[in-house]
Amino acid sequence: MKGSISRGLAAAFCAAAILGGSTAAMAGGSTPVTKGWTKIVRGVNGTNCDATAIGSGNQPPVKPTEDLTDLSVSCSQDPKVTVTALRAPLPNAHACVTTLDALRRVRPNVTIVADPAPGNGYHCLLDNITPRQFVSGATYQP
């Protein structure tokens, strides 16, 4: 039984990789985020939303024109949640702020899943968008 569970999980992760989906979404506990008004915040250091810096912060790092994989951001579908609340758990002094609708305008198949983490109940994972596309749809906030 134990081996069949491991094989089943391995198959799910392989399917996610083949289909271009997020392995985090397959891992359980993650919920797809679909509301266009969803606020998305990525903490940054520096004085602008830089595609190279966003790509370097991805694990593994990617070039500005390569798709991000599970980029760590804060997000909320609740319109009452403020950008200030989303920024609070982030260690960075500055942020790139956007909405799911804004990102869909530059990359219609962008995906994001809620993935709450200790210390950040708003933690989400962003996929299927390049750093360059992300910053084109985001606004820098000092």
Side-chain angles (χ1 to χ4, degrees):
M1 180 74 173
K2 187 176 182 180
S4 64
I5 291 172
S6 296
R7 282 190 295 276
L9 285 174
F13 282 105
C14 288
I18 291 167
L19 296 173
S22 167
T23 54
M26 298 299 292
S30 300
T31 305
V33 175
T34 59
K35 304 292 185 201
W37 63 74
T38 298
K39 295 177 194 90
I40 301 168
V41 177
R42 170 69 182 182
V44 295
N45 296 314
T47 58
N48 63 14
C49 295
D50 178 72
T52 300
I54 297 292
S56 295
N58 192 70
Q59 293 304 319
V62 298
K63 295 176 184 173
T65 56
E66 297 175 324
D67 280 352
L68 295 162
T69 306
D70 294 342
L71 181 70
S72 182
V73 297
S74 287
C75 80
S76 178
Q77 296 187 103
D78 182 346
K80 296 176 188 168
V81 174
T82 65
V83 169
T84 301
L86 294 174
R87 285 183 67 171
L90 303 178
N92 313 82
H94 311 291
C96 295
V97 178
T98 189
T99 64
L100 186 53
D101 274 344
L103 296 182
R104 285 177 176 158
R105 283 193 285 278
V106 293
R107 183 78 178 260
N109 65 333
V110 63
T111 57
I112 189 165
V113 293
D115 186 51
N120 186 357
Y122 298 117
H123 183 257
C124 296
L125 298 170
L126 185 71
D127 287 289
N128 299 320
I129 194 164
T130 69
R132 188 169 290 154
Q133 291 168 327
F134 176 81
V135 300
S136 75
T139 302
Y140 175 79
Q141 288 194 353

